Amino acid sequence: MEVTQHEPGMFSWADLATPDFEASKKFYTGLLGLGHEDAPVGGGMVYSMLKKNDKGVCAMYQMDEAMAAMTGGRAAWRTYFTVENTDETVAKATALGASVMAGPMDVFTAGRMAVLHDPAGAEFAVWQPKDHIGSGVFAEPGALCWAELSTNDTDAATEFYSALFGWSANVNKSPTGADYTMFSIEDRPAAGMLEIQPEWGDMPSSWSIYIGTDDLDAALEKAKSMGGNSFMPVMEVPDIGRFTMLQDPQGSHFTLMEFAGAPPAH
């Protein structure tokens, strides 16, 4: 669906910091059937907007040495949530126990952002839109469709994000039998949450993104042929759809989702 605005508290954008800009661009545009537009943003950095029907859906850029040291040289997706006022949101988040990684700062005339760590250490960004609303297409093949938090403390995360974004929480069972929290704003799904399981190993709390596809099996085979790696079987959520998590050739994780019917309203 085409989007002209994202309501405050909604997942609205994602960008990829990658150690190999050209390789990542080739992988995602090839896998998702997207175009791209490269824009210099100063200091030799290029921000590449991936596009569907001439509308931005997500972006990527070459990570610097400091970020590469933080991630161990692996690519990493960052999740953005729309807010009315970035400065006020940052103040509220820090009062709730978050820490500020970067900002608040203006991104030219596109908007104002900040990067935060929630109390459990999961990184996320907030975005106050100006010229750039975030993704102009949502919940379609090749576009962002969902954001999900994996955390070691679901109770604390529920308290934090509910207070910060006005989310309500409803707990159901995931396909594996674990509890799955659905966050919503006035009955509109906003994001999901899982508790990190012991068998996942020493995994830090983190946000991840879902990208839509109209043929999960074909997309999975294509991703593998381009150097991607699937490290979980395809799973099905009754009446929702099928999904699997992948790792791209530069090491970043993402999930491909094929909806059984209409995707969740946004």
Side-chain angles (χ1 to χ4, degrees):
M1 69 187 79
E2 291 193 1
V3 180
T4 57
Q5 68 175 3
H6 297 273
E7 294 189 27
M10 286 296 201
F11 169 47
S12 58
W13 189 245
D15 55 25
L16 178 74
T18 172
D20 192 333
F21 177 69
E22 293 300 332
S24 289
K25 188 164 55 175
K26 181 178 180 180
F27 176 81
Y28 284 100
T29 56
L31 176 63
L32 305 174
L34 301 175
H36 66 89
E37 181 179 345
D38 293 347
V41 291
M45 177 180 169
V46 175
Y47 197 74
S48 186
M49 191 88 69
L50 303 193
K51 291 191 165 186
K52 180 176 183 179
N53 301 330
D54 203 37
K55 295 186 178 293
V57 297
C58 59
M60 59 184 57
Y61 59 93
Q62 178 79 32
M63 63 171 53
D64 59 22
E65 291 183 1
M67 184 174 291
M70 291 173 59
T71 68
R74 293 188 305 170
W77 282 101
R78 177 176 289 158
T79 305
Y80 291 69
F81 297 92
T82 289
V83 296
E84 290 183 344
N85 186 297
T86 292
D87 296 74
E88 291 179 0
T89 302
V90 168
K92 187 173 186 179
T94 53
L96 290 166
S99 57
V100 180
M101 181 177 175
M105 57 189 172
D106 290 320
V107 183
F108 303 105
T109 61
R112 188 164 174 81
M113 67 172 286
V115 183
L116 302 159
H117 284 147
D118 73 16
E123 179 186 310
F124 68 102
V126 294
W127 180 256
Q128 178 185 340
K130 295 179 183 177
D131 293 345
H132 176 62
I133 65 161
S135 181
V137 183
F138 204 85
E140 284 189 7
L144 301 172
C145 60
W146 194 239
E148 188 173 86
L149 174 67
S150 298
T151 181
N152 289 301
D153 193 336
T154 55
D155 290 339
T158 297
E159 183 177 354
F160 173 79
Y161 288 103
S162 297
L164 185 63
F165 292 139
W167 290 348
S168 58
N170 184 35
V171 181
N172 296 291
K173 290 295 181 182
S174 74
T176 63
D179 285 346
Y180 190 87
T181 300
M182 178 82 75
F183 292 117
S184 302
I185 299 175
E186 296 180 354
D187 298 325
R188 293 187 306 280
M193 178 175 67
L194 277 167
E195 185 172 23
I196 294 172
Q197 302 299 303
E199 59 267 26
W200 298 0
D202 188 20
M203 177 178 170
S205 295
S206 60
W207 280 96
S208 62
I209 65 166
Y210 282 54
I211 300 173
T213 179
D214 56 1
D215 188 333
L216 180 60
D217 296 317
L220 179 55
E221 288 307 309
K222 188 170 187 179
K224 290 178 179 178
S225 74
M226 299 173 69
N229 176 44
S230 175
F231 51 92
M232 64 173 283
V234 172
M235 305 193 75
E236 184 169 358
V237 182
D239 301 321
I240 300 296
R242 302 164 65 234
F243 68 93
T244 189
M245 185 178 288
L246 295 93
Q247 185 178 52
D248 70 23
Q250 281 65 53
S252 183
H253 297 160
F254 67 103
T255 297
L256 282 173
M257 181 80 192
E258 177 189 331
F259 289 101
H266 185 72

